[in-house]
Amino acid sequence: MTSANHLKNNSGQAQTITSLRSKRLSGFIVALVLLAVMMCLSLMIGAKQLSVETVWQALFSNTDSYEHRVILDSRLPRTLLALVVGPAFGLSGALIQAVTRNPLADPGILGVSAGAAFAVAIGVGVFAVGSLSGYVGFALAGALAATIIVYVIGGGAGKKSPSPDQLTLAGVALGAVLSGFTTVMTLMNSEAFSRMLNWTVGSLARKSEGDVWLVLPLIIAGTLAALAISPALNAIAFGEDRASSLGVNVLLIRGIGLVAITLLAGSATAIAGPIGFLGLMVPHCVRWFVGPSQPWIFLYSLVVAPLLLLAADIIGRVVISPTEVPVGIIMGFVGAPILIILVRRRSASKL
Amino acid sequence: MPPINFGRRYIRLKGLIKLRIDARSLVVTAVLLGATLVIACFGLMIGTLRLSVHEVFAALSGDAAKMTRTIVVEWRLPRVLAAMIFGAGLAVSGSIFQSLTRNPLGSPDIIGFTSGSYTGALIAMLIAGSTSFIGIAAGALIGGLATAVLIYLLAFRKGTQGFRLIIVGVATSTILSSVNSVLLLRSKAEVALTAAAWGVGSLNGISWAQSIPAMVAVVVLLLIAAVMARPLRAMELGEDAAKAHGIRSERTRLVLILIAVVLTAAPTAVMGPVSFVALAAPQIALRFTKSAQSLAPVAAMGAFLMLGADLVAQRIVPGTIFPVGVVTLSLGGLYLVGVLFRQARSSS
């Protein structure tokens, strides 16, 4: 009787595991389909609305008409850019939340974007860097420095892992200082910064294709590193001590995580400017569906982040048409309320 | 009966006004005021045209060349006075907010009052098309008040924790800065440029005509705040303790909030949002006085910090005059970083 019950329980458990896996897989496919639909919408919607047929013709039998040129020269590049930077922001958010074990972490909140922006300002103001490709190196260095500084200020240098509150406050404070310094540099040399002004608000418009190719290898490297350490991050979620006893080299994993965060957030910020809250929102939304499994969270983030980014970009194109609102501003509208909801119900959003 | 020993030296005033003045606070206030006057004098001396102390005093007393007089009295004096008065106003406002929220992070700049003021002023300028001081000030006042209430309500859940308050403040500021950007994007370039310049708190090019209404308002409210200091400190002990001290806490709280709001809104309407003075000045003053009995050291500290920051903003890079808001943002942020760093070290 008991053994029969036991067997029944066991098979039930196995069933839930397979059903969980199939639920996660089917959800992933749905997300992919939604992303494809959103890409199509992104090609259709703008100052001039175009039909699905026009989009199809432009892609596969281009007649070089005005409408086709709008799609190929303006809407396709920004859609592709969203496909490159969206996953980078989303994954860096998921990664920074897993590594710091802080549900409120985000490259923007933890000052990583501000660090990148400040370093780019130094590049423009002091070293007279003029091209977007030149921004990348500075953005990466700034992102890395800011990540480390916030970690140290937040108490990460001590034996215990830093508390989420301390870390978040440290990030906010450092972000304020760095943005102050960035403003100082901008005001000192306003001519050199007229170009950068566009950049300080995250935007997908007006970026050339060459820049995308420049950061793509960095983002791919960061993504691979993140996916490689994701099983170990599952163990770290239980706490450092338990992770060590499970045979995880916590220090090494944290180090790799830090490099991956820098690569992802730094290069995405260099090319699209600081787009806040994407890294905060996406992992939380994803966690509702997949539960606490880092590999799945990371995979989903890669798809859901560009989905949200494209949606925000489309909203920005139509909301006060014909003027375009940069996607970074739209993200502020959407993301900040989510941050408020998260701090109000902390226990529900724990990792 | 021998006087009670409170463990601190104090000076007792008898006669018409009965007061017990903490000796340490008195000394700190005096030293700060002295230092503020020295840098104020310095602020009147330096600039494109350097003047001597003698020339400055001559100009102030009215027997100097017309040109020198114009420079000192019409150009430099309003700036120096505004920095001192507005600094004191912001600091006292911060102190009141921090006492009422019983939270060192509960200052108007953190709880979003300042960014809300900017949005309110932008709406007044860009949508209502107001160009007068009263219109902009009203916009700033309403915007700031609405934002502060909103943030307080959003952060309130079985009391307000400092952490939650700060995060909700940051999030709300982000939404507001998005709103501000959209407002600026929608409007004509030249109007938007003026409005955007206002967005970084600045004393550049301030004149008597612009600043006098706000200065008078701040000075009057500072005097009222001085009277309210005692109930304020009692409120800090909690509702029940305040009642036991004979304070009608609801009414006092309302009056105090009104004072604090205007003390932030009036300077903000003239200068634009200047952050971190309200946050840092009360806390730094506390470090020196080791007693929060009186608001005078706080006001003196605010005046000192603001004037110092404005001088730094003017002089740090020759040929460029920065908005004072940028300097307070950088220095105040560093202060916050320092506080957090020390906290983290002592806790680990």
Side-chain angles (χ1 to χ4, degrees):
Chain A
M1 177 71 186
T2 26
S3 79
N5 243 345
H6 187 69
L7 261 179
K8 204 170 147 195
N9 264 347
N10 242 353
S11 70
Q13 216 163 28
Q15 212 165 20
T16 34
I17 288 173
T18 42
S19 78
L20 182 63
R21 180 167 297 162
S22 63
K23 189 185 140 203
R24 282 170 173 170
L25 255 180
S26 51
F28 190 67
I29 291 165
V30 170
L32 277 175
V33 171
L34 282 177
L35 179 61
V37 172
M38 196 57 84
M39 283 171 66
C40 189
L41 285 176
S42 164
L43 294 177
M44 285 160 59
I45 300 171
K48 184 173 169 55
Q49 319 290 345
L50 300 171
S51 69
V52 186
E53 293 93 65
T54 326
V55 170
W56 187 264
Q57 282 165 8
L59 290 179
F60 298 106
S61 53
N62 176 19
T63 56
D64 216 30
S65 70
Y66 172 72
E67 278 149 9
H68 291 184
R69 276 216 310 278
V70 166
I71 290 175
L72 291 181
D73 298 346
S74 143
R75 290 188 193 167
L76 190 60
R78 67 194 291 173
T79 309
L80 291 179
L81 185 64
L83 282 188
V84 173
V85 299
F89 278 119
L91 189 57
S92 73
L95 198 56
I96 212 167
Q97 288 178 9
V99 169
T100 60
R101 297 177 59 208
N102 179 352
L104 295 178
D106 167 89
I109 297 172
L110 288 194
V112 180
S113 307
F118 177 56
V120 170
I122 291 181
V124 175
V126 181
F127 299 101
V129 174
S131 66
L132 265 177
S133 53
Y135 289 1
V136 175
F138 282 99
L140 286 178
L144 182 63
T147 314
I148 294 173
I149 293 171
V150 167
Y151 205 70
V152 171
I153 299 170
K159 276 192 177 153
K160 283 184 289 182
S161 78
S163 80
D165 302 8
Q166 282 280 351
L167 210 59
T168 313
L169 285 182
V172 169
L174 188 76
V177 178
L178 290 177
S179 68
F181 286 164
T182 308
T183 319
V184 169
M185 305 219 37
T186 330
L187 290 169
M188 270 166 66
N189 190 349
S190 45
E191 272 167 56
F193 281 97
S194 58
R195 256 187 318 252
M196 207 190 134
L197 208 63
N198 269 330
W199 181 85
T200 50
V201 198
S203 166
L204 296 175
R206 295 179 301 274
K207 301 283 160 27
S208 69
E209 215 171 297
D211 301 318
V212 178
W213 291 117
L214 194 73
V215 294
L216 194 58
L218 300 174
I219 290 179
I220 290 176
T223 308
L224 291 179
L227 290 175
I229 60 168
S230 59
L233 287 171
N234 260 349
I236 287 182
F238 291 121
E240 269 102 279
D241 296 345
R242 281 201 205 160
S244 318
S245 68
L246 286 169
V248 174
N249 185 341
V250 176
L251 214 62
L252 180 72
I253 296 297
R254 284 238 160 101
I256 296 175
L258 209 65
V259 172
I261 291 166
T262 310
L263 284 174
L264 291 168
S267 36
T269 307
I271 193 155
I275 298 179
F277 293 110
L278 194 57
L280 176 80
M281 281 191 285
V282 168
H284 279 283
C285 301
V286 162
R287 228 171 272 136
W288 294 331
F289 290 103
V290 301
S293 161
Q294 298 299 346
W296 279 107
I297 293 174
F298 286 11
L299 266 182
Y300 266 67
S301 295
L302 285 173
V303 180
V304 175
L307 183 71
L308 272 175
L309 187 61
L310 277 176
D313 191 41
I314 293 172
I315 294 173
R317 285 181 228 166
V318 294
V319 69
I320 52 168
S321 187
T323 314
E324 252 184 36
V325 183
V327 66
I329 293 175
I330 298 289
M331 263 319 165
F333 273 119
V334 185
I338 294 200
L339 179 61
I340 294 176
I341 294 171
L342 287 177
V343 272
R344 280 184 64 84
R345 39 181 287 235
R346 281 289 285 294
S347 56
S349 59
K350 277 215 180 95
L351 284 175
Chain B
M1 198 177 74
I4 304 164
N5 182 6
F6 291 98
R8 292 173 67 96
R9 277 191 209 170
Y10 58 87
I11 296 154
R12 178 173 279 180
L13 279 188
K14 285 173 186 165
L16 197 62
I17 309 167
K18 287 200 171 55
L19 259 185
R20 198 171 56 83
I21 302 167
D22 184 50
R24 188 171 179 135
S25 301
L26 193 67
V27 172
V28 170
T29 311
V31 170
L32 279 173
L33 278 181
T36 310
L37 286 180
V38 170
I39 52 173
C41 189
F42 195 60
L44 292 176
M45 281 158 57
I46 59 166
T48 329
L49 182 71
R50 276 175 181 274
L51 301 170
S52 69
V53 187
H54 183 72
E55 282 171 297
V56 166
F57 279 110
L60 287 179
S61 59
D63 46 313
K66 193 161 182 252
M67 187 62 195
T68 325
R69 213 182 123 70
T70 314
I71 290 176
V72 173
V73 178
E74 295 297 321
W75 296 353
R76 292 183 189 168
L77 192 59
R79 182 176 190 137
V80 166
L81 259 187
M84 285 165 64
I85 292 174
F86 292 164
L90 286 175
V92 169
S93 169
S95 184
I96 294 176
F97 270 121
Q98 286 170 354
S99 294
L100 289 180
T101 58
R102 265 180 267 161
N103 184 337
L105 294 174
S107 72
D109 31 15
I110 297 285
I111 58 177
F113 192 87
T114 331
S115 47
S117 302
Y118 183 35
T119 306
L122 272 185
I123 291 174
M125 279 189 258
L126 299 178
I127 293 181
S130 165
T131 47
S132 69
F133 169 76
I134 296 295
I136 297 172
L141 190 69
I142 296 167
L145 204 55
T147 314
V149 170
L150 182 72
I151 290 178
Y152 196 77
L153 287 180
L154 283 175
F156 191 89
R157 208 181 151 219
K158 294 182 203 148
T160 45
Q161 285 172 11
F163 169 71
R164 206 185 298 131
L165 196 65
I166 211 171
I167 296 290
V168 171
V170 168
T172 314
S173 302
T174 314
I175 303 177
L176 288 173
S177 71
S178 288
V179 174
N180 298 346
S181 308
V182 172
L183 284 175
L184 290 175
L185 277 173
R186 281 190 44 192
S187 50
K188 280 191 217 119
E190 57 267 38
V191 189
L193 214 61
T194 334
W198 192 82
V200 209
S202 170
L203 289 164
N204 294 347
I206 200 166
S207 67
W208 284 118
Q210 276 173 300
S211 51
I212 274 192
M215 280 198 227
V216 171
V218 170
V219 168
V220 169
L221 282 164
L222 280 176
L223 293 175
I224 301 175
V227 181
M228 300 287 286
R230 196 172 284 259
L232 176 69
R233 295 312 171 202
M235 303 260 299
E236 217 172 48
L237 300 172
E239 297 280 296
D240 296 340
K243 280 199 187 113
H245 276 78
I247 286 154
R248 275 182 282 186
S249 61
E250 282 315 313
R251 216 182 70 175
T252 318
R253 185 198 307 273
L254 195 67
V255 174
L256 281 169
I257 289 177
L258 274 178
I259 293 174
V261 160
V262 181
L263 277 180
T264 299
T268 306
V270 178
M271 303 188 289
V274 172
S275 51
F276 280 120
V277 172
L279 172 74
Q283 299 301 317
I284 300 176
L286 189 64
R287 229 154 257 231
F288 286 110
T289 58
K290 313 227 183 266
S291 134
Q293 280 301 316
S294 160
L295 285 171
V298 174
M301 180 58 83
F304 175 75
L305 286 181
M306 183 72 117
L307 192 59
D310 191 41
L311 271 190
V312 170
Q314 287 181 67
R315 306 305 302 170
I316 191 163
V317 177
T320 318
I321 296 179
F322 290 119
V324 65
V326 171
V327 176
T328 58
L329 186 66
S330 309
L331 295 180
L334 278 179
Y335 166 78
L336 194 58
V337 166
V339 171
L340 290 170
F341 186 60
R342 204 173 20 229
Q343 264 181 17
R345 251 202 338 204
S346 62
S347 70
S348 62

